Amino acid sequence: MTLESTIESTVCNYAKKRGWFEAKIKSSNKRGMPDRIFHRQGLTIYIEFKAEGEEPNPQQLKRHRELQAQNIPVFVVDNVEAGCGILR
């Protein structure tokens, strides 16, 4: 099983090479915010990283729905291939 931290760091390194600006969301007044925010050429997306096979908890899913209701893309990534595919 691949660790969340390994997936996250590998995908973030790939994103930087592809010209994405990324930032880790360490604290927020909103519990359950996705792990990272990515910006490139006017596009903003959030990614929730999980260890292989893991799912977001109910609070995270609630926050994802709130962001998506604002037309902000939110992705849940539990493997490097999926993360890199989103950030091509």
Side-chain angles (χ1 to χ4, degrees), residues 44-77:
T44 296
I45 66 169
Y46 285 88
I47 296 181
E48 177 69 46
F49 288 97
K50 292 292 180 189
E52 202 169 345
E54 286 188 4
E55 298 288 328
N57 67 43
Q59 181 65 42
Q60 290 169 325
L61 291 172
K62 176 185 176 206
R63 197 64 65 209
H64 296 177
R65 286 190 301 272
E66 290 172 342
L67 290 164
Q68 291 164 340
Q70 299 296 321
N71 293 318
I72 299 170
V74 179
F75 299 92
V76 177
V77 169

